[in-house]
Each structure stands twice: as C-alpha cells, then as structure tokens.
Amino acid sequence: MALPFFATVPRGMESLLAGELRSLGAEHVKQARAGVSFQGTLETAYRVCLWSRLAGRVLLPLATGPATDGDQLYATTHRVDWDTHLGVDGTLAVDFSGVSDTIRDTRYGAVRMKDSVVDQFRARHGERRPSVDTRAPDLRINGHLMRGRVTISLDLSGDSLHRRGYRTDRVQVEAPLKENLAAAVLLFAAWPQEAAAGGSFLDPLCGSGTLPIEAAFMAADVAPGLLRADGLNGFAFLRWLGHDAAAWERLVGEARERRAAGLGRLKAVAPGQTVCGSDRDPRAIRVAQACVEHAGLGGAVAVSQSELSELRSPAASGLVAANAPYGERLGRREDAEALTRQLGERLRAEFVGWRAAVLAGSSHQAQTLGLPVKRDTTLRNGPLECTLAFYQVGAGGPSGGAAGASAVDAPRSARAAVRSSSGPSPTAPAQTRPAGMLTGGAEQFANRLHKNIRRLSRQLHREGITCYRLYDADLPDYNLVIDVYGDWVHVQEYAPPAEIDPGKVRRRLEDALAVIGSVLDVPPERVVLKERRRQRGAAQYERRASGGDFLPVEEDDLTYLVNLHDYLDTGLFLDQRLTRRLVRTLAGGRRFLNLFAYTGTMTVDALAGGSPASVTVDLSSTYLEWARRNLEANGFSAELGPSGRVAQGPPTPPASPHRLVQADCLRWVAEAEGQYDLIWLDPPTFSNSKKMGRATFDVQRDHADLVRMTARRFLAPGGILLVATNRRGFKFDQAELGGLTVKDLSRATLPFDCTRGANRHHVFRLERS
C-alpha cells in the first residue's frame, strides 16, 4: 500500500533530493520548501533512510488538522491511535516547529502534543503511560504548524540522516561541513559520473575529511546509512510497533553486499590515486584519518598533511572539490579570499584538464579563484548562505582556460560578412557608403534601430542579456531580422517578392548594413548576413558554408555555442529564452526527455536545473555533437548511445545518467521505452526528410497523434510535457488529447524583445488530468 512521506533537506538542495528519491523508487515526488513529499511503501521509506545522501529526516504523516491554539493542537493530536505505534511502557519524544499568534513557543507546542499522547494512554490503560526520553526514544513524533494547521508525523529516522556515524565526540574540528551538504556538492559536480569513468578526487582543504569520505562512499557504492544500521539505536523506526523487520533486513543485507564489492574495486586502485584529501593543519589530518577509519574506508581514502603551495595533481584528470573558508566564522574574510586565490593559482599550474567545485562564502569569493565560473548555485551551510561554483581548469592565466578551450573553437579574428545565397557580398558597399549619404528610408530605419535600443536597453542591462532580437521586420521596406550575439550581429533578409526590382533591393540592403554598422558600432567583419527563404523539411538546418566556427555566448550564467555562418539558424533560438528558464526551473529532480533536440540547449538548462537523468534525441549526428559540446561547455557530460532507457531502483554507478541518442524521433517515440518526469517536444513545422522513413510530417495536421503517443508511452505520473512549435497561426487540438490538461504558455514565455513574433511562438504545458 502506498503511504505518504516527507523528507526534509536544507534549502537549495530540494531538486537534488527529488531526483535521488525517484532513483530510490519513490513515486509522486513533489518539491516543497526545505523538503520533498513522496509516496511509496514502507520499504521505500526504509530504502531512503538507508541510501539517501541528502535527506535530513524521513517523516510519515499520520494526521493533519486545525491548531489555531493549544486546545486544537491537543485535539488534532488525540485523533491518532497511538496504541498502534507505541507500547504503554515505551518512551517518546516530541519535536515541534512553527509558531502562530497563540502558539508562540515551540516548547509549548511540543508539551501540548505530548500531553495529548500520554492522556490517551492513561484513558485506555489506567494510570500507565509512556515516559519521555529525548535522547533515544522508542517513538519520535514530529509536529509542524503552518497557517493554523498542524501536520503530525512519525520521525522514522531518529537522529538526522546526515549523521552517518563516522564522527565521534573526540574527533571534531571547528566548523565541519555537514555530510549531506558535502554530498550535495559532489552530486551537483557530477562526481559519481566522474568516478564511474575512472576519474580521481582531491580535496586540498579537507579538514576532518567529510568530502573525501562522501566521495568514496559514492565511488564505492556504499549506502550512507549503513554504519548506523550496523550500530545500536541507528534509526527510530527500529523501535516502532509498525516496523517491518524482514523488509529492513533484506535491504541491509543487499547494502552490505554492495559495500563489500564496491570497496574491493576502490581499494584495488593505488591509494591516493582515486580519492584523497590534504590540509595544512596536522590536527585536522589526525581527525580526518580517524573519520576515514570509522567509515570503514582505510586503504580506500588517503589523507595527508600538505601546504596548499605544494599541491600537486595525483592523476591526469578528475574533480577537485573544496569547502573554502568563508571568513564569517573562522578568520578574516580577506584571509579567506587570499587562500581562495592561492587555490586558483595551484589549479591553473597543476590541474589543467580537471574540473573544480568550490563552496565559497559568496559569489565574489568564488570569482577570486581566478577561473571563469561556468555555473553556480546557492546553498546554505547552517545559517550561512553560500555559493557553490563550478570551473573547468584550462591552460593560461586567470582570464583564460574556460571550459572548453577544448570544447569551444575561437571565432576567426577577422571574417567578412557572408551571404548564404548566390550573389555579390554586401560587405564592400556597406563599408564605402557613408552614413551621412543615406536615403530618407534608411534614416527612418536608423531611427527605428535607435528607438528599439532605447526601448530594450534597460531590461537587457537589468537581466544581463547579451543575446537578443533588436529588429524584426518592423518597417516593410526593410524586411530584416537583426539578432545580436554579444559583439556580433546576425542579419537575416527575408527574400523579397520576385516582382521587386533587384537593384532597388540591393541598394536598400547596402543602406541597411551601413546603418547597422553605424548605429551598433560594429565593424563589417562582425556582421553576418543571410537570406531567408521559405523552407521545407530540414532545409533550415542544412549547412550553408563550411567554416565550422563556434562562438560561445552567455545566457543566465550558462554557455551556448552558436554558429553564425554555416547554417540558416544559429543553434540558439532567442525566442525560447524564457522557455529555457522554465525548463531549468522545472527540471530539479525530474528525469528529462528532449525530443527533436537540435543543439541540446534545453538539455543544458535541464541539467543546470538539477535533472538527475536525461535522454536527448535527434536525427542529426551533427546536432548531437553540437549538443555534446554545449553540455561540455557547461561542465556536463553525456554518452552517445542507441537506447533511451532510464534505470530505476536503488542507485547503481552507471557510466552516465545522460544520453544522446541519434534516431528518427517519430520512430523512436513509437519504439523506445522509458518514463520521464519532464519532456520537451519541439517537432519541425514540416518535414519530408528521407531519413525519417515516412512521407511527410506536418505539425498542424499531426501534432495531436504525436503528443498523445509521447504522453502515453513516456510521461510519468505527475510528469509535465512541454510542447512547442514556431508554425504561424498554429492551433492546438485539445479535443484529441483526452486525459491531458493543456495550459497555453505562449504569451507567458514570449521574451520582451521578440513580441513581433508572437504569431509564431507557441508553447503548451500538458499534465495528466
């Protein structure tokens, strides 16, 4: 029977926990503030207690009801049949959180709940009643008050799950990193995938060794709760009357077998070459060594005393992760930033080709590392808000070495604007016609560009947008689309009707190019011109030239590679900016499927948002390779493979949870298997590609069948399907989608700079009724 549960987690880690819970077999997973609700069997909850690296507590809700004052709180607590959970001679403890106008003290709330429980026992068993034991009770009860209502739950975990059991009172250092926060750092940094690929791990500021120990647990497939399972009073549910001892013993036995096998593999590698840590403080190293032994990792994790200035790479590639001093609790902020700068210097000198993840006290401190921040996220270390930043260590000085010196080809230093269709290049006339000699029409065009710049500039600056649409055929005589990509300008000329004088068209285009260069202060070699004709099938994706240059551009702290020269489209659809943000917002903990993926930009956002597993499908090997490079430019990786299946059940160390699949999407949808919690479906407007093995596909005619099949075969319970198309005047056929609710997001996802294209921007959100 499916039961409701709630797992608590520090703020900022909800998306990671949601994904972890799904991998552990939980269903109907929903994120909340500082926690995630889910459903499953009692065995599911046991598995979470044993295997979750992120959760703090696992709660089993028993009742919810009004609690505007102490009497209502007492009455709601009294509704639970406590005899089914606790023996009359047992012990209990009550944790209470939340306040109201009448319940102003959490201690008062806890006492009223305790009184209600023991009074129920007294009424049933005479004067016999359970006693209170706050240290190791037989039953731990949790009460949470919010907006006048209380949720009463059993705490199945007992001590917070971040207490793995490898620390003792005598092995402590100042301000140790909590174990579940360390696990979040490693999961955000994709350490399990790095470990599966044979990568090494190093924490050069290891303190008591939390990061190396958690890294070894992941690499060796060790359940983080297994030390507690092997000890006394490990979990609260062990003394609960509803405990299923047989199910628990099965799970523990499986975990022990996996630990033995995983540690055998890890210890077979030369010590220090897989997981290691160092610190300048000899006392911290003694503590770390003791923790390593208590964790059962002797011979699998190497920790040693070393000055940061002596840091050396133990292997050719891997992950460096560190919890940098923040300067808030320990030492001065200036000293903390100086140490971070020194760490950056050692990384650039010794760790080229490695990835790095640093938990810093602020985004400013993260930048003092001197490496480009590829992405970052906000986490909380106790009361402190911190920045977790990710880097790819490249050769060169502080301004160089971005991720992908290998993944990103630098654009040519000088390249004349090109015209994709036949005919003379407009570049030379644009250089020779002075702006002061423009015609009246060209002056009107210049005024419109100035007006658009004034209209857009404030919001562009506020949101940090560097890629945007400046002009979209605003004037009938200048039928152009002008997009800005950083310090490059991409101009598309809509093909004029055949009856228009070609000479007149050419002169207008020459004037337009001169105006664009003058108004935007852009040299001709950074203006790329293409002619856009009505396209059929895959024509818009076909190569126009053979330059192969990729230009890295930034959007919302992510990097995308665009190609302004070789294809009609650039690889980044500007009108999908808000949709990319939506995918990133929704992706936390959700398995992601990207159909008709093009260059994989949606997958980049899904992974940045915390998707634990993804499949990206496209027919073109060229675009899948482009997608791979987009992922790599942001510190992610994916495998090219023929299957789109996403594994379920207890976590195992796959080669990679992210896959790129080259396939005809229509055929793949009909034949593949899998369940996904978030699906992006953006089919072509029309296709008659011979590669697709069918006559034609028309999105207006065929979308209902495609959407219905995609939802039926792949959409998991509680999942979200996003459907997009750029077909002008598209009408969504909701009548043919029984069982799915449809919400039109077209207006809500239309960027402010793309409003003139509203009739070709269509986005819909579908969920099961």
Side-chain angles (χ1 to χ4, degrees), residues 386-429:
C386 305
T387 297
L388 175 59
F390 304 90
Y391 315 82
Q392 179 78 35
V393 185
S399 61
S406 62
V408 180
D409 292 332
R412 296 174 186 169
S413 59
R415 177 169 183 166
V418 299
R419 187 184 183 92
S420 296
S421 59
S422 60
S425 167
T427 304

Side-chain angles (χ1 to χ4, degrees), residues 9 12-21 23-24 51-55 164 177 179-195 201 210-211 214-219 222 224 319-321 355 357 375 377 379 388-390 589 606-613 634-637 651-654 657-658:
V9 72
M13 294 162 52
E14 296 93 342
S15 65
L16 274 182
L17 176 59
E20 182 184 60
L21 291 174
S23 74
L24 293 169
W51 280 99
S52 177
R53 305 183 190 279
L54 303 168
R164 315 290 201 219
L177 188 66
E179 293 86 338
N180 57 347
L181 179 57
V185 170
L186 297 170
L187 291 171
F188 269 123
W191 161 244
Q193 292 77 45
E194 182 82 44
F201 176 85
T210 308
L211 276 168
E214 294 296 320
F217 276 175
M218 293 179 186
V222 176
L319 174 69
V320 173
R355 296 184 303 113
R375 54 190 176 94
T377 191
L379 296 174
L388 175 59
F390 304 90
L607 270 59
S611 172
N634 292 279
F636 303 119
S637 62
T652 56
H658 306 293

Side-chain angles (χ1 to χ4, degrees), residues 236-306:
F237 61 75
L238 294 173
R239 299 174 295 280
W240 169 47
L241 291 185
H243 174 49
D244 185 345
W248 175 242
E249 287 303 320
R250 284 196 305 272
L251 289 172
V252 172
E254 176 200 18
R256 287 171 178 157
E257 292 177 0
R258 292 172 62 172
R259 175 177 63 183
L263 286 177
R265 291 191 303 269
L266 193 62
K267 291 180 180 180
V269 181
Q273 294 299 305
T274 298
V275 179
C276 48
S278 62
D279 200 284
R280 64 176 300 181
D281 184 354
R283 176 174 169 271
I285 291 301
R286 288 194 295 272
V287 171
Q289 290 170 341
C291 288
V292 167
E293 292 301 321
H294 281 117
L297 297 173
V301 174
V303 291
S304 59
Q305 182 185 357
S306 175

Side-chain angles (χ1 to χ4, degrees), residues 714-752:
F714 300 107
L715 191 61
I720 298 170
L721 170 59
L722 298 175
V723 180
T725 180
N726 64 348
R727 187 188 192 279
R728 293 179 184 270
F730 177 78
K731 301 295 182 184
F732 202 92
D733 190 356
Q734 298 188 33
E736 295 295 322
L737 301 175
L740 294 172
T741 59
V742 181
K743 184 177 182 181
D744 189 346
L745 301 181
S746 304
R747 186 179 297 274
T749 59
L750 183 65
F752 65 94

Side-chain angles (χ1 to χ4, degrees), residues 71-138:
D71 292 339
Q72 282 192 339
L73 175 61
Y74 182 99
T76 298
T77 307
H78 218 70
R79 286 168 38 198
V80 179
D81 183 2
W82 293 106
D83 266 318
T84 63
H85 302 289
L86 178 65
V88 66
D89 297 318
T91 59
L92 79 154
V94 179
D95 299 319
F96 188 85
S97 60
V99 294
S100 67
D101 291 340
T102 54
I103 301 176
R104 299 186 179 92
D105 191 328
T106 57
R107 291 172 296 181
Y108 171 71
V111 168
R112 290 299 283 159
M113 287 183 61
K114 182 268 296 180
D115 289 345
S116 179
V117 174
V118 300
D119 287 351
Q120 186 184 97
F121 277 97
R122 279 199 182 105
R124 295 178 177 180
H125 303 280
E127 287 304 307
R128 295 174 64 194
R129 48 149 286 186
S131 58
V132 174
D133 181 352
T134 59
R135 293 180 61 86
D138 296 325

Side-chain angles (χ1 to χ4, degrees), residues 379-644:
L379 296 174
R380 298 192 72 85
N381 188 358
L384 301 177
E385 187 173 276
C386 305
T387 297
L388 175 59
F390 304 90
Y391 315 82
Q392 179 78 35
V393 185
S399 61
S406 62
V408 180
D409 292 332
R412 296 174 186 169
S413 59
R415 177 169 183 166
V418 299
R419 187 184 183 92
S420 296
S421 59
S422 60
S425 167
T427 304
Q431 291 176 312
T432 58
R433 184 187 292 268
M437 298 174 58
L438 299 177
T439 64
E443 289 183 2
Q444 185 181 13
F445 175 65
N447 290 337
R448 177 56 62 98
L449 293 187
H450 283 296
K451 178 181 178 180
N452 289 355
I453 291 171
R454 289 193 300 271
R455 176 174 57 86
L456 301 174
S457 59
R458 180 173 297 180
Q459 190 163 352
L460 292 173
H461 179 73
R462 183 168 61 247
E463 297 187 26
I465 296 172
T466 59
C467 301
Y468 57 92
R469 180 149 295 168
L470 177 62
Y471 178 94
D472 189 357
D474 298 32
L475 304 176
D477 286 347
Y478 293 88
N479 202 14
L480 309 172
V481 175
I482 304 174
D483 294 329
V484 177
Y485 291 87
D487 55 359
W488 286 74
V489 181
H490 184 259
V491 181
Q492 298 180 75
E493 177 198 18
Y494 287 105
E499 60 270 19
I500 303 255
D501 177 20
K504 186 176 183 179
V505 171
R506 185 176 63 255
R507 287 191 296 273
R508 282 180 179 170
L509 183 59
E510 292 171 357
D511 286 346
L513 291 171
V515 167
I516 292 168
S518 175
V519 171
L520 298 179
D521 193 23
V522 176
E525 62 268 19
R526 288 185 177 265
V527 178
V528 180
L529 173 67
K530 298 170 186 172
E531 182 180 72
R532 193 172 194 104
R533 300 182 183 273
R534 183 176 179 84
Q535 305 295 324
R536 302 292 286 179
Q540 72 190 88
Y541 305 115
E542 292 175 354
R543 182 180 290 271
R544 258 58 182 175
S546 58
D549 284 347
F550 283 99
L551 173 70
V553 296
E554 303 293 323
E555 179 186 278
D556 293 337
D557 74 23
L558 296 173
T559 299
Y560 304 100
L561 306 181
V562 299
N563 187 319
L564 303 184
H565 299 90
D566 297 342
Y567 302 89
L568 188 57
D569 287 310
T570 64
L572 181 69
F573 295 132
L574 299 183
D575 71 317
Q576 289 182 352
R577 183 188 311 122
L578 298 184
T579 322
R580 285 188 287 274
R581 292 179 185 173
L582 175 64
V583 166
R584 187 171 181 177
T585 300
L586 295 174
R590 289 188 165 101
R591 297 162 295 181
F592 180 65
L593 173 61
N594 187 353
L595 293 172
F596 302 97
Y598 189 37
T599 60
T601 57
M602 289 297 175
T603 304
V604 170
D605 276 84
L607 270 59
S611 172
S614 68
V615 174
T616 301
V617 187
D618 199 274
L619 181 59
S620 168
S621 60
T622 298
Y623 287 114
L624 282 179
E625 172 61 17
W626 198 333
R628 185 193 66 78
R629 297 175 78 168
N630 270 328
L631 291 167
E632 187 177 273
N634 292 279
F636 303 119
S637 62
E639 285 191 344
L640 183 64
S643 171

